[in-house]
Every structure is written in C-alpha cells, then in structure tokens.
Amino acid sequence: MGRADPEEGQLPAPVKPPDGGWGWIVLLGCFVITGFSYAFPKAVSVYFKELMKDFHVGYSDTAWISSIMLAMLYGTGPVCSIMVNQFGCRPVMLIGGLLASSGMILASFTTNIIELYLTAGVLTGLGMALNFQPSLIMLGTYFDKRRPLANGLAAAGSPVFLSSLSPLGQVLLEKFGWRGGFLIMGGLLLNCCTCGAVMRPLDMGMKRKMEKAQDKYEAKEMLPIGGKSEEGISTTDGTKKAKKAKKKPRKGKKLLDFSIFSNRGFIIYTISKFILVLGLFVPPILLVNYAKDTGVPDTEAAFLLSIIGFIDIFARPACGMVAGLKWVRPHVAYLFSFSMLFNGLTDICSARASNYTGLVIFCVFFGISYGMVGALQFEVLMAIVGSQKFSSAIGLVLLIEAFAVLIGPPSAGRLVDALKNYEVIFYLAGSEVVLSALFLAVATYCCLNRGKKKEAPPEKNPSAGGGSDTEEAESDVQEAEEHSGDNHQPSHSTDNAVVAASEEANHVAEEQSGEGGGCPEGDGEVLARDSCNADQTVERDSF
C-alpha cells in the first residue's frame, strides 16, 4: 500500500479489498499496534512514584513522559503520512517498531528526567506513531464491506492492552525495579516489528493475470482465424502500452495531499473531532481522584477504571457490527454523532454522583459510549475521504487533535486546582462532547445531505461520491476498459468490413456506382475509413 511502481514511478491501480483472507492477519497486527499505542502511555504511569524518588522530581514532571508520548502520537501525523506515501506502510512500521523498542531500552540507562523525556517520551512516542497510522491505512486497504467490524475489533486492542499492561508493569516494578521494567517493556515493543512484517501490500499479480487472460480472450474473439493470431497479440500489446501511457500522468501521488481540505465532509469531521477531544479524555483522567475526594477507598477507586476498560472491550466490536449493517452504514456519521451525544450526556448526568454506586453506574454507561466513539471515529473518516486519501487525512486530523489534547486535560486540571470542584469540570467536559455531536449531525444534514439533493445530476453514476475502495477500483477499471475499447474499435470495424464485403461481393460494383462518398467527413478523425465502410454495409443489410 502506498509504494510506487519501481519501473514507472507511479502508483498501481487500486485493487479491490479482499474483506478476509490475509486481511484477518492484518487485523490482528492492527489490534496489537492499537493496544500498544493507546495503552502504553497510560501503563507507564505505574513507574512514576519510583521515578520521583530516584530523580527527586514531582508528579507533574514525571507526568510529562506520558504527555510527550501522546503528543508524538498525535502531532507527528503529517510526517507519518509523508513517509507512508513515499516508502509504503511495511518499511515505516518496521522502523517504528525499532524506534519504540530502542527508546524504552535506552530509557532504562538514563540518569535524569530530561534523558527520560528524550528516550521514553520522544523516541518511543515517535516509534508508536510510525506504527499506529500505517496499521489503520492497511486495515482500510484490506477491508471494505467488513470495514466497520474490522475497525471495531482493532479498536478493542486499546482496553485489552490497558487491562493487561498495567498489572504487568506493577509486577515488573516489584521484581526488577523501574529500570528492569523499562528494559522488558522495550523487548515487548519489538512485537511491533512483527506486526509490521505481516502488513504486506495487496499483490498485483492476480490483477495482472486477469488482464492477460482478458487480453487473450479478446484476441480470440476478435480474430478467430488462426492466421490472424499474431495480429491479435500485437493488438493486445498495443492496448497494454496505451493503458500504461494513460496511467502515467494520472497516477502520481503527492507526499501530503492538502486537497482533502476542499472536501466539506472532512472539514466538518475535523472541527467536530477537535471539539470532542477537548472533553472526551477529561472524565477518565479525573475519575480516580474524584472518587477519592468523595470518600471512596483507593483500591475501589482504581477499580472504576477497570470497569470502564472491561465494558469498552465488548462495546467496540459490538458497535462495529452494528455500523456494518446495510441500513446503518450509509448513515454511520449519524451513529457517530449519537455515540458522542450519549457520552456527553453521561458526563453531565453523572456530575453529581456522590457515592460509589453512582460512580459504578457512570463507569458502565461511559464505557459503552466511549467504546462506541472509539470504534467509529476512523470508520467515519475512511467513509468521508476514501482509502486513497486516508493516509493524508488521518495525519492531518491527528495533528489537529494534538492541539486539543494539549489544551483539554491540562486546562481541566488547572480548573480543579482553582475551583476545588469536580462537578463543574464534568459539566464542562460533557457540554463540549455534546456540542461536537450536535455540530456533526446538523452540519452533515444541512451541508452535505441537502447539498447532494440539490446538486444531484439527472443521470445515474454509481461510482460517484462513494468513497470506498471497491467503488474507486471499479472506476479505474472502467476507465481502462473504455480506453482499451477505443484502441480495439478500428480492428473490430476492419473485420466487420471484411466479412460484410465477402457476403456482398456480387453487389460491390452497383453500390460503388450508386452510393459513392457516403461517409461523413466529421467522423473521419475518430474512426478512419474502415468504420465508414462498416456503416455502409450495415445500411445495406438493413435494406
């Protein structure tokens, strides 16, 4: 996916997604990569107390490690897009796995907090970014009809790894210390290289075999006489050259395609996602401290996050299955809007929860809504821009989200310190999520759906505005067939003229004397004289 043809320097025509087969292995790799990318920055917080003791720093200083990881994951999106478009997904993921692993290994030998920022923060964060984005691109390449389910299953890697990496980190800390734990964690991140190795591009061999078989069939149908086989082969070779000549100027790919900003759906999605990220991550970050302030014991307060993670594991695949239904998938943007509205109302309604039972109920509903948002966010983006522009789109979206990540949670923490009141923070976060949901739903209906009804052309064009892999591949194949049809038309007309002339041999002299010069002059530039002769024989047969 994304690597150029070494002979032509251009991208090959898109292949129809298999929706299975090796795609399930790609899905497993994407599941692991998603788990490491989202869960690892949170799991590292287990080591913060030991780091504070060894380096004599505060909690806010150690918390910057996770913040830098997330900033690199989101902020380096355009860089990842450029690398994927230039070198392909597999090489980028292999390099990313090595960087992520080497960052944690080097972090185990650091002597101050600044070195931790550069190794565990920058280097590991960059490595995970180079794995996360290409894995989503490959998932969209291998799946089309089952893409919502595939996205839901891949997104489930985040809660699964979060519920396993945190206890594992605690065990490693107790037995080997934070340095040994970082070293072993770095070894675990080498599995990202394994996941990158299985991300093979869709093989073009099958497409080439189909083209060869089709060319041979066309040659056999056009020239059934044995003596004409060489002409048929030369005709098909000329067709291939014409196809390549047509594709060369059309298939160049930019390193970062900014033309997606002309897509109104992408603009609406980006604005909505920016507002969403401002408040989406605030409740789970403040939940444990909020529970402790209400008198909940430490162990029970920490268990609240486990409840969210457990519900999230099942919510994401289930939502992916629902989004893949035939009557739901055309309206997946509205389902995404509903999931955001559900999440925002959960925050608002649970702002006054003052006991442990109320907090447990909040965690159940928050886990469901949070899982729905996680399962649908990239599916909606793929549906808007299509797989061919998804590599550039996700990079730009993640860059914009990076600013929201750096604004939302830190601002909420400062408000808590100033107001000493968590209720206001939950109201504010819930209002931001509700606002993003309403904006997405209203803007999609007013700017996109109504605009399509007004600008709908009278003729039916099934490949227009689809945005899926299958439709894009079919449109390219259709263009190639039309071009090859133009190249074969003179040979067909020549054969028809020869056959018709042999059948009407007794009337040639009469027709030439009575109907000379019957060919229109304007059409001679397209089809030449043989097509005119063919038209004349058809007219004679009709009489």
Side-chain angles (χ1 to χ4, degrees):
M1 167 66 187
R3 188 162 61 182
D5 191 350
E7 295 181 358
E8 299 182 8
Q10 305 292 342
L11 287 172
V15 182
K16 184 177 180 180
D19 277 309
W22 188 257
W24 298 116
I25 305 298
V26 174
L27 173 59
L28 178 61
C30 190
F31 176 88
V32 175
I33 295 297
T34 303
F36 275 124
S37 299
Y38 280 115
F40 199 85
K42 302 173 185 176
V44 173
S45 62
V46 174
Y47 302 96
F48 283 175
K49 287 186 178 180
E50 294 296 325
L51 295 175
M52 292 166 61
K53 293 179 182 179
D54 286 2
F55 295 142
H56 306 288
V57 294
Y59 179 81
S60 59
D61 296 324
T62 56
W64 271 104
I65 299 174
S66 298
S67 299
I68 293 174
M69 284 186 183
L70 291 175
M72 295 299 295
L73 180 65
Y74 286 96
T76 57
V79 177
C80 297
S81 298
I82 292 174
M83 294 183 67
V84 167
N85 291 335
Q86 181 67 24
F87 304 108
C89 291
R90 180 188 283 178
V92 173
M93 292 184 68
L94 291 175
I95 295 174
L98 292 176
L99 288 178
S101 177
S102 61
M104 292 303 296
I105 293 174
L106 292 175
S108 64
F109 299 99
T110 55
T111 56
N112 56 65
I113 194 68
I114 302 299
E115 293 177 355
L116 270 178
Y117 292 160
L118 296 176
T119 54
V122 175
L123 200 58
T124 301
L126 177 61
M128 289 189 296
L130 293 178
N131 275 272
F132 176 64
Q133 185 172 323
S135 66
L136 293 177
I137 295 172
M138 290 300 299
L139 191 67
T141 304
Y142 272 86
F143 289 92
D144 183 28
K145 294 181 180 179
R146 296 177 179 175
R147 193 178 63 203
L149 176 61
N151 278 315
L153 292 173
S158 175
V160 170
F161 273 65
L162 181 60
S163 60
S164 58
L165 286 179
S166 296
L168 176 61
Q170 187 65 38
V171 173
L172 295 177
L173 178 63
E174 295 174 357
K175 291 188 176 182
F176 305 102
W178 71 267
R179 293 185 184 275
F182 276 20
L183 189 63
I184 296 174
M185 286 287 192
L188 290 177
L189 286 175
L190 283 175
N191 288 290
C192 295
C193 295
T194 305
C195 297
V198 303
M199 301 289 178
R200 67 184 185 191
L202 286 178
D203 190 11
M204 298 299 296
M206 182 178 298
K207 184 177 179 64
R208 291 171 182 171
K209 290 180 181 179
M210 293 176 62
E211 289 180 352
K212 289 182 180 179
Q214 184 178 2
D215 292 338
K216 291 181 180 179
Y217 177 77
E218 291 177 354
K220 185 177 180 180
E221 290 295 323
M222 288 188 300
L223 301 170
I225 304 174
K228 298 291 184 177
S229 59
E230 294 182 357
E231 294 183 10
I233 294 174
S234 62
T235 304
T236 55
D237 291 339
T239 303
K240 292 180 182 178
K241 293 179 181 179
K243 290 180 181 179
K244 290 183 179 180
K246 183 178 180 180
K247 288 181 180 179
K248 276 188 177 182
R250 189 174 60 91
K251 286 295 181 179
K253 188 167 185 177
K254 301 177 182 178
L255 295 180
L256 193 62
D257 191 358
F258 289 97
S259 65
I260 55 177
F261 283 105
S262 61
N263 187 337
R264 290 181 296 179
F266 176 75
I267 298 296
I268 294 172
Y269 175 87
T270 304
I271 297 174
S272 176
K273 197 71 186 298
F274 179 83
I275 301 173
L276 171 68
V277 174
L278 288 175
L280 180 64
F281 301 119
V282 171
I285 292 176
L286 302 179
L287 178 61
V288 176
N289 291 332
Y290 176 46
K292 291 179 181 180
D293 289 348
T294 58
V296 177
D298 294 350
T299 55
E300 295 181 1
F303 184 70
L304 293 174
L305 291 178
S306 301
I307 295 175
I308 294 177
F310 181 78
I311 299 297
D312 195 5
I313 292 173
F314 298 96
R316 298 194 182 209
C319 185
M321 294 178 63
V322 173
L325 298 177
K326 293 182 180 180
W327 55 276
V328 176
R329 190 172 184 184
H331 311 288
V332 67
Y334 295 106
L335 181 61
F336 184 47
S337 177
F338 170 77
S339 65
M340 292 190 294
L341 181 63
F342 185 16
N343 185 271
L345 293 178
T346 300
D347 296 341
I348 295 174
C349 296
S350 303
R352 293 188 176 183
S354 57
N355 53 37
Y356 189 70
T357 303
L359 291 176
V360 170
I361 296 175
F362 161 74
C363 290
V364 172
F365 285 99
F366 185 86
I368 296 174
S369 59
Y370 189 79
M372 293 175 65
V373 173
L376 295 174
Q377 55 179 344
F378 297 116
E379 167 60 26
V380 174
L381 181 59
M382 289 181 187
I384 291 174
V385 302
S387 64
Q388 297 300 306
K389 295 185 177 181
F390 181 71
S391 60
S392 297
I394 187 175
L396 295 172
V397 167
L398 290 177
L399 176 61
I400 296 172
E401 286 184 19
F403 294 100
V405 170
L406 296 176
I407 293 173
S411 300
R414 292 181 180 180
L415 288 175
V416 170
D417 294 335
L419 302 176
K420 305 296 181 182
N421 187 354
Y422 287 92
E423 183 177 339
V424 176
I425 306 303
F426 274 76
Y427 280 130
L428 181 61
S431 300
E432 290 170 344
V433 177
V434 170
L435 177 62
S436 65
L438 296 178
F439 175 79
L440 178 63
V442 174
T444 300
Y445 178 77
C446 295
C447 299
L448 298 183
N449 290 353
R450 295 181 64 181
K452 288 180 180 179
K453 292 179 181 179
K454 292 180 180 179
E455 300 175 2
E459 58 180 0
K460 295 182 180 180
N461 187 6
S463 62
S468 66
D469 264 347
T470 305
E471 293 172 349
E472 292 172 359
E474 289 176 353
S475 63
D476 288 340
V477 172
Q478 185 178 2
E479 291 178 2
E481 289 178 352
E482 290 175 357
H483 185 77
S484 63
D486 294 339
N487 292 330
H488 289 312
Q489 190 170 2
S491 61
H492 278 290
S493 60
T494 303
D495 295 335
N496 292 334
V498 172
V499 174
S502 62
E503 292 178 353
E504 301 291 337
N506 297 328
H507 303 283
V508 171
E510 297 179 0
E511 296 294 336
Q512 288 179 350
S513 61
E515 297 182 2
C519 178
E521 297 179 357
D523 297 335
E525 297 177 357
V526 180
L527 296 179
R529 298 178 180 178
D530 291 334
S531 61
C532 298
N533 294 333
D535 294 337
Q536 292 173 1
T537 55
V538 170
E539 293 176 0
R540 286 193 293 268
D541 291 336
S542 63
F543 285 103

